[in-house]
């Protein structure tokens, strides 16, 4: 909600659209991305501008929202991209303060949250406009902009480490 900075979500109930609040704190909900779990319940990753943090929301079986701070290391959580599997929400995002690509995993088990995060690429200013998918083994693959060089890069996790390659270096590419 641009007027008051709150994060809202809308669902079609079979007849009409119903909108409701997800996070009522001021200045949240920018750079959102949403993905559904196997039960068609949404995980929403978003930037909390007030606290300069990456947050995630999950709609529980009782149709309430539960929220967690995933990364609050200052000026993180912009340009999110999210995909979900049985292990939780895999989130790619930008760390503006350090100019890095970061990755997080967040899971709500019905009672508590578990979160982990790692810096994926630190070469110059990288990580804007990420897009995340999971490969056939369930490992994250992230395409993103290397802003310093104007290149499109790809980071692939092999289960042990991140392998980074330049996908396109012809001109100023990799935006959006």
């Amino acid at each position: 909600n641009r007027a008051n900075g709150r994060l809202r979500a809308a669902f079609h109930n079979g007849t009409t659209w119903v909108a409701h609040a997800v996070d009522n704190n001021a200045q949240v909900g920018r750079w959102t991305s949403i993905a559904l779990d196997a039960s068609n319940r949404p995980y929403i990753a978003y930037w909390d501008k007030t606290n300069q943090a990456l947050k995630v929301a999950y709609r529980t079986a009782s149709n309430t929202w539960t929220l967690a701070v995933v990364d609050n290391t200052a000026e993180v959580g912009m340009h999110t991209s999210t995909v979900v599997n049985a292990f939780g929400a895999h989130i790619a995002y930008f760390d503006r303060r350090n100019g890095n690509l970061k990755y997080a995993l967040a899971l709500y088990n019905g009672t508590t949250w578990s979160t982990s995060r790692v810096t994926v690429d630190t070469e110059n200013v990288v990580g804007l406009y990420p897009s995340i998918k999971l490969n056939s083994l369930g490992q994250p693959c992230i395409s993103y902009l290397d802003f310093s060089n104007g290149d499109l890069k790809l980071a692939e996790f092999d289960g042990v480490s991140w392998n980074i390659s330049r996908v396109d270096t012809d001109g100023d590419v990799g935006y959006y």
Side-chain angles (χ1 to χ4, degrees):
N1 185 323
R2 188 162 171 84
N4 62 20
R6 308 311 197 265
L7 177 62
R8 296 178 53 82
F11 296 92
H12 196 271
N13 66 9
T15 306
T16 186
W17 286 95
V18 179
H20 51 87
V22 175
D23 187 339
N24 281 321
N25 292 314
Q27 301 304 311
V28 298
R30 294 182 184 190
W31 286 296
T32 61
S33 60
I34 188 170
L36 302 176
D37 69 9
S39 299
N40 287 323
R41 290 190 182 86
Y43 278 91
I44 303 174
Y46 58 99
W47 185 52
D48 176 339
K49 180 182 178 188
T50 301
N51 296 300
Q52 301 287 303
L54 172 67
K55 292 173 83 174
V56 65
Y58 178 72
R59 187 158 173 93
T60 67
S62 62
N63 292 323
T64 60
W65 288 96
T66 180
L67 312 174
V69 174
V70 177
D71 190 345
N72 62 354
T73 57
E75 297 184 56
V76 296
M78 298 168 191
H79 306 282
T80 66
S81 179
T82 306
V83 65
V84 174
N85 68 4
F87 297 105
H90 301 259
I91 307 164
Y93 59 102
F94 181 59
D95 172 350
R96 185 172 77 182
R97 174 168 286 173
N98 297 302
N100 296 332
L101 172 66
K102 295 184 90 173
Y103 162 82
L105 181 60
L107 176 67
Y108 183 71
N109 69 9
T111 307
T112 60
W113 281 95
S114 63
T115 61
S116 61
R117 62 184 185 269
V118 64
T119 301
V120 176
D121 192 350
T122 61
E123 181 186 339
N124 301 311
V125 177
V126 293
L128 285 90
Y129 315 114
S131 182
I132 189 170
K133 297 294 179 200
L134 302 177
N135 66 18
S136 61
L137 300 174
Q139 303 291 359
C141 303
I142 307 168
S143 65
Y144 57 99
L145 171 65
D146 174 340
F147 184 78
S148 296
N149 295 300
D151 295 342
L152 175 64
K153 293 177 83 173
L154 178 67
E156 299 174 281
F157 189 67
D158 63 14
V160 177
S161 61
W162 289 92
N163 301 301
I164 298 171
S165 57
R166 292 183 188 282
V167 176
D168 192 347
T169 60
D170 188 19
D172 201 11
V173 296
Y175 287 81
Y176 313 110

